[in-house]
Amino acid sequence: MRAPRRRPQWPLALALALPALLVMIQQQALLRQPPRLIRLAMAAASSGPAALRARFSRPMEGASIGSASALQPDPGHHWLGAGDAMVLSLKAGRRLTEPLQLHLAGRDRRGLALQSRNWHWDPRPRVLAVVPVAGGEQLQLREHDGSWRPLSPVWPRIPVLEPLGDGSGVALASQDELGAYRLFRIPLHQHNLVASPGRLGPVRAEAPQTLDPAALMFAHLSSNRRGDLLVQSGAGITGAGGAGEGNGSRARLWRSQGGSQALPIAASGPMRLLPEGDAVVVPGPEGLSLQALPPRPPRLQTLPGNRDLSAFCPRSGRALLVRHWPDYRRSLELVEPGQAPRQLWIGTEALVASACAGGGERIWALLIDGTGQPELTLLALDRRGAVLRRQRLSGWELEPGTGLSFDPSGDRLLAALRRLGPIDRPPPPAQPVLIDAHSLELKPLPRQVQQVVWLPAG
């Protein structure tokens, strides 16, 4: 009896091997293709004026990116990172007065050339201002050419203003004639990084979006570099317009990627999001505390003493604090990770505003001294507290409730100042004033304002 004939196995082996062979062919074809730029976007800079983050389709040779790429005009720059992700960071020291042209080129680790491309890049911030107009106040923006454009309707008052840290919008609170606050967010579309032959364009604003339909007794806003928004508010205004029973303070975090969540945090004053976005600074009876935000595990660090947060520095973990002493003196302190606060200045003058560059290499403080017609003084300090320059701003005073902010791309400060007038007359309106960060010379802008802040380039 004959044994059954075996079927040949090669069709099955071929069927199994064919997909693997196709994958190998595809891999070899992909390896022979030149690398591609997947994404180029603006990134938050912690030390220099600005930065760009580049993502490539495969690991690149960093030295070739640095040698083959070019920036015009070049304020000084360097490339950081390795593999398929790199960062172009501008060096501090030179002022940007015009947009930059980036020629991006280089090779991957196999020696294949990246298809070169030219980009227009403008990392300079714009001035945002609350401007008094007929019928109330309006949010307006100053473009780089000096022109002003309205971004909002006219409301009776706009007492609270907070640009989102990634430049994607502005949050604000309007106030009606009866004192009720309403919260809005205005989405903004910026065109500060455009591939050639495209052109840079002005900021485009969408219609205001209501953040909270309730009428509120007060509101405090804070944002971080990710564009998250922290809203501290208190309900209690009745529908008839009168003040009702308050429900206490509440806090809600609005994520830049969408959605919001209530934060069960009690504070004795305005809270501030950490610029990096993973924690919040909370004032309390025992001092300032740093509390982690969800989804991070709960963590609490407390700095005891009668202190207020004055300003954040761009570099992670650095901030300026104002300490209040029992003898009515005030001091300015620099806090750094893992170190006790370092005192930079102490005196009897009122310390009303401060700003910081980098990790605290340069610091500015606005002081008020005297009664009747107090005198305003601007100090420039180094990180040890040595006075680099002192400038008396004779004839000027700071608009109450406003601060001082620094633009590293233009090496300049921004404040809302108003000229001193006779004591028996109402004060004149404030105006935006640009201040040279080195010479401390003033450049007033011809506009009446109630508040001014920088809108980050996004």
Side-chain angles (χ1 to χ4, degrees):
M1 188 173 174
R2 274 186 177 179
R5 185 183 242 178
R6 281 177 141 185
R7 293 185 177 181
Q9 299 297 314
W10 63 267
L12 178 61
L14 181 61
L16 294 174
L18 189 57
L21 181 62
L22 290 175
V23 170
M24 291 179 60
I25 294 173
Q26 289 175 348
Q27 288 178 341
Q28 291 300 316
L30 289 174
L31 289 174
R32 288 188 173 91
Q33 290 182 359
R36 294 177 295 106
L37 175 67
I38 296 178
R39 189 169 184 263
L40 184 67
M42 299 182 67
S46 62
S47 55
L52 291 177
R53 192 179 304 277
R55 186 68 180 269
F56 302 96
S57 61
R58 64 170 63 112
M60 303 297 292
E61 181 59 50
S64 74
I65 294 290
S67 60
S69 300
L71 201 59
Q72 292 295 332
D74 189 0
H77 71 280
H78 51 262
W79 287 91
L80 305 172
D84 60 356
M86 299 189 69
V87 174
L88 168 63
S89 180
L90 300 184
K91 295 180 180 179
R94 280 187 57 185
R95 296 185 177 96
L96 300 182
T97 59
E98 59 183 319
L100 305 176
Q101 310 295 322
L102 171 64
H103 176 73
L104 183 59
R107 296 181 176 274
D108 65 11
R109 292 178 180 174
R110 290 176 171 265
L112 298 178
L114 175 75
Q115 182 179 1
S116 62
R117 197 167 187 182
N118 296 322
W119 296 79
H120 305 288
W121 178 29
D122 195 344
R124 296 174 296 168
R126 294 171 170 89
V127 175
L128 273 177
V130 175
V131 178
V133 296
E137 296 176 357
Q138 186 179 53
L139 180 65
Q140 296 187 6
L141 175 141
R142 183 178 186 265
E143 290 286 357
H144 296 310
D145 62 4
S147 62
W148 290 86
R149 298 195 301 109
L151 298 183
S152 78
V154 176
W155 284 300
R157 287 193 66 229
I158 305 176
V160 183
L161 172 65
E162 179 73 9
L164 301 183
D166 62 351
S168 63
V170 183
L172 55 85
S174 69
Q175 188 179 27
D176 61 24
E177 295 86 348
L178 299 174
Y181 284 73
R182 303 279 181 175
L183 295 179
F184 297 94
R185 176 171 51 195
I186 301 178
L188 300 177
H189 301 275
Q190 300 196 46
H191 306 280
N192 300 317
L193 180 64
V194 181
S196 183
R199 292 180 176 273
L200 302 171
V203 176
R204 182 172 61 85
E206 294 185 15
Q209 301 173 351
T210 301
L211 281 177
D212 191 332
L216 305 172
M217 294 184 66
F218 67 88
H220 300 297
L221 305 177
S222 174
S223 184
N224 56 31
R225 291 177 188 151
R226 300 176 185 174
D228 302 327
L229 177 67
L230 175 64
V231 176
Q232 249 181 300
S233 61
I237 303 293
T238 66
E245 290 295 320
N247 299 329
S249 176
R250 58 186 180 184
R252 177 166 289 274
L253 181 64
W254 294 80
R255 298 287 186 181
S256 61
Q257 302 301 320
S260 67
Q261 62 186 120
L263 298 180
I265 300 177
S268 63
M271 299 188 292
R272 296 276 295 276
L273 286 176
L274 213 63
E276 293 72 37
D278 53 4
V280 60
V281 177
V282 182
E286 304 301 323
L288 292 176
S289 65
L290 187 65
Q291 300 188 30
L293 290 173
R296 294 183 62 199
R299 186 182 177 188
L300 178 66
Q301 303 176 50
T302 301
L303 179 64
N306 189 3
R307 291 179 170 92
D308 298 325
L309 174 63
S310 182
F312 286 113
C313 298
R315 193 167 300 166
S316 175
R318 277 76 170 177
L320 297 177
L321 308 178
V322 176
R323 185 172 185 178
H324 304 270
W325 294 86
D327 59 359
Y328 301 103
R329 292 183 301 166
R330 300 170 183 84
S331 61
L332 182 65
E333 300 175 333
L334 174 65
V335 62
E336 300 178 275
Q339 299 183 28
R342 180 192 309 151
Q343 183 174 287
L344 303 173
W345 172 89
I346 186 168
T348 57
E349 300 96 325
L351 203 164
V352 292
S354 67
C356 181
E361 291 78 17
R362 287 187 296 159
I363 293 159
W364 300 269
L366 267 175
L367 311 175
I368 296 180
D369 190 22
T371 57
Q373 282 197 338
E375 192 166 69
L376 194 62
T377 300
L378 180 58
L379 289 183
L381 309 169
D382 67 12
R383 64 180 299 106
R384 298 182 303 277
V387 177
L388 302 175
R389 188 174 290 271
R390 178 190 298 265
Q391 182 74 32
R392 291 192 180 276
L393 307 185
S394 300
W396 293 94
E397 63 179 343
L398 183 68
E399 176 71 16
T402 64
L404 185 69
S405 52
F406 176 60
D407 164 29
S409 68
D411 202 33
R412 54 189 178 169
L413 300 157
L414 176 65
L417 303 180
R418 61 189 184 191
R419 296 189 182 275
L420 289 172
I423 300 177
D424 56 347
R425 295 182 184 178
Q431 58 190 120
V433 177
L434 300 175
I435 306 172
D436 186 289
H438 284 280
S439 68
L440 305 187
E441 293 180 359
L442 307 187
K443 179 184 177 183
L445 301 179
R447 201 71 168 182
Q448 295 184 1
V449 300
Q450 300 291 345
Q451 300 181 58
V452 287
V453 291
W454 291 116
L455 173 68

